[in-house]
Amino acid sequence: MKAQTWALIGLFALVLWLAGCKLDDSVSSQQNNPPQQSKYQLFINEFMASNDACCADEYGEFDDWIELYNAGDDTVSLAGFYLSDDKATPKKFQIPTSANLKILPKGFIVLWADGQPDQGVTHLGFKLSSGGEDIVLTEPDGFTTVDAYTYGPQETDVSMGRVPDGGPNWKKFTTPTPGSSNSGVQPAVPPQISAVSVSPDTIQAGDMVTVRAKVVDEDGDLARVTLTYGVKDSINTTVTMSALNDSMFSAQIGPFNDGTRIYFYILAKDKKDHSTQSDTLSFEVGYIPPVLFINEFMASNDSCCADAYGEYDDWIEIYNADSKPVNIAGMYISDDKSDITHWQIPATDPDSTTIPAGGFLVLWADKQPEQGVLHVNIKLSSKGEDIVLTAPNGTTIIDSLTFGPQTTDVSMGRLPDGSDHWEFFTKPTPGASNHQ
C-alpha cells in the first residue's frame, strides 16, 4: 500500500513537471514571436508640421496636418484607431469609436494635428513639432502598428510626402497636396535660405560686418546668391555672396557710423529661374542686447501647469537679469537654430510682454497665438531640440540652448537663475525664481 502511494505521488509530480515545461515553452514561444503585422494597407502619406499660410481647416485655422492613404481595395473605418507623435506612447490619442470616419479604397483623408479634438473627429489631441518627431498610426487593439514615420526639422508651409502614394520614398513639396495624390507632383524645389547670421555680435562704428547664410538647392542648379542692403527706404546696394563651401555663403559690408541701422535681405536663384528671398533683417551699429535668459522650460506638460485656458501646454520662461524693465515685443522665439525668426512676439500688448527688472515671464509654446501675445507659434519636442530668443533685428541671438530628451511634468532650468548650470525640477517654478 505504501509503495502504491509513493508511486502515485511520483506520477503526479511527473505530470506537473511536464505541464510546467509545456507552459514555460508556450510563454517563451510567445515572447519570441515577432510583432503582429497589420492587416490594414493604410499609410501616413503626407504631413505638414509648420503651417503658417498653406492650408486652412474648416475653421480657417492654419494647423498642422497628417494625410492618410488607403492603398487597399476595401473601405476602412478609422473609428477606434490611435495616432501619436511619440512611438513610446502609441495610444496618445484615439479617434472616437463612434466616429463615422472612413477612407475609401485608394482614397485619402486629412487629420488636423491641432490639439483641438473638440472641433470634430478629424481633429487630433496633439500637435506636431517643426523640430522633428514621430507620427504613429496604431490599430484599435492598441499595440499593432499600421504605419510610423520619424521626421527631422521641417520648413514652414512645405510638406513631406510619399512618392508614389504609399511608397517608400519621401520628398518635400512646396506645393502640398492634402487630401489628394502625391503622384505627378514635381518636387522641383527653389533654393532654401536659412541660418542667416551677422558678425561680430556687437558691431561698433568702423567695423566691417560679415553676413552669412546657408543656401541649399535640392535640384543642384543654384546659380547665384546676392545680398542687398541699405538704410531704411534705401535698400538698394547689392553684392554677390561668396561660397564658403557647398552650402554656406558670405559677404562683407561696411563700415558704418554709430547708431546706423542697416536693413538687408538675401536672394538666391537657380538656373531654372526659381528664386527665394529671405525676410528683411537688420542690425544696428552700437546695439547692446538686453540681459535676458531662457531660464526654465517644459517640453512635456501633462498635468503640471495650466495656462489661462486650463490647457497643459509646453512653456518657456524668460528671466530679465537687467537693471531695468525689458519689453520683448518684436523679439523672435524659435525651436530651430537654423530658423531663428520663426515666430515674432506681437507688439500689441506691451503690458503683457514687458518683464520687470529681475522678473520672469512665461511664454506658452502651444501653437495657439490666437489665445494671446504670450502664446507662441511653436511646440517643443520632448525628444529634444533648440530654443532660441532673438532680438527684433532678426540676427542678434540674445540667448539659446539645445536640450535633450525630457520627462513628462519635469522642467529644466538654470540654477541659480541666469547661470550656466542646468538642473531638472520635479517641482517646476514657471514665472518665479528657480531657487527652491
Side-chain angles (χ1 to χ4, degrees), residues 44-47 149 160-163 167-172:
I44 298 162
N45 199 55
E46 189 179 1
F47 69 92
Y149 183 66
M160 282 194 73
R162 297 179 185 270
V163 175
N169 298 319
W170 288 81
K171 292 185 179 295
K172 295 180 180 178

Side-chain angles (χ1 to χ4, degrees), residues 171-373:
K171 292 185 179 295
K172 295 180 180 178
F173 297 108
T174 54
T175 304
T177 62
S180 60
S181 174
N182 299 338
S183 300
V185 175
Q186 297 299 320
V189 181
Q192 300 297 313
I193 302 171
S194 62
V196 179
S197 66
V198 172
S199 60
D201 291 337
T202 301
I203 302 168
Q204 305 294 340
D207 288 346
M208 296 299 291
V209 178
T210 300
V211 180
R212 291 186 178 88
K214 182 177 182 179
V215 182
V216 177
D217 187 80
E218 292 187 6
D219 300 331
D221 62 346
L222 184 64
R224 190 182 184 201
V225 182
T226 58
L227 171 70
T228 301
Y229 68 96
V231 297
K232 191 174 183 179
D233 300 326
S234 187
I235 311 171
N236 52 23
T237 302
T238 300
V239 296
T240 298
M241 300 186 74
S242 303
L244 300 177
N245 52 41
D246 290 342
S247 61
M248 293 302 299
F249 289 78
S250 173
Q252 196 170 62
I253 57 178
F256 305 100
N257 295 327
D258 190 42
T260 304
R261 179 176 289 277
I262 298 297
Y263 296 84
F264 68 91
Y265 62 85
I266 296 168
L267 181 67
K269 288 187 176 183
D270 64 20
K271 294 177 182 177
K272 298 184 181 69
D273 208 30
H274 296 131
S275 64
T276 300
Q277 182 175 311
S278 73
D279 294 336
T280 299
L281 305 173
S282 68
F283 59 85
E284 183 178 349
V285 180
Y287 172 74
I288 300 175
V291 188
L292 299 177
F293 293 94
I294 298 164
N295 199 56
E296 189 181 3
F297 69 92
M298 180 174 286
S300 181
N301 182 6
D302 277 2
S303 59
C304 157
C305 325
D307 65 11
Y309 293 85
E311 299 172 345
Y312 294 94
D313 296 316
D314 302 341
W315 51 266
I316 303 164
E317 177 193 83
I318 308 298
Y319 167 53
N320 178 14
D322 216 327
S323 58
K324 57 182 180 297
V326 176
N327 185 0
I328 64 170
M331 294 184 184
Y332 296 88
I333 192 80
S334 176
D335 59 353
D336 184 354
K337 286 184 177 179
S338 68
D339 182 19
I340 61 175
T341 59
H342 183 82
W343 177 254
Q344 188 170 34
I345 298 168
T348 54
D349 189 358
D351 289 341
S352 296
T353 53
T354 298
I355 312 176
F360 306 85
L361 184 68
V362 174
L363 300 175
W364 296 96
D366 56 3
K367 282 191 173 181
Q368 293 176 298
E370 69 276 5
Q371 290 188 347
V373 295

Side-chain angles (χ1 to χ4, degrees), residues 46-52 63-66 113 127-133 135 151-160 335 342 367 377-379:
E46 189 179 1
F47 69 92
M48 180 174 286
S50 182
N51 182 7
D52 278 3
D63 295 316
D64 304 338
W65 50 267
I66 301 166
K127 304 172 187 178
L128 299 180
S129 170
S130 60
E133 56 181 351
I135 305 176
Y151 64 89
Q154 298 295 296
E155 300 168 29
T156 299
D157 292 334
V158 176
S159 69
M160 282 194 73
D335 59 353
H342 183 82
K367 282 191 173 181
N377 200 30
I378 63 172
K379 176 183 174 290

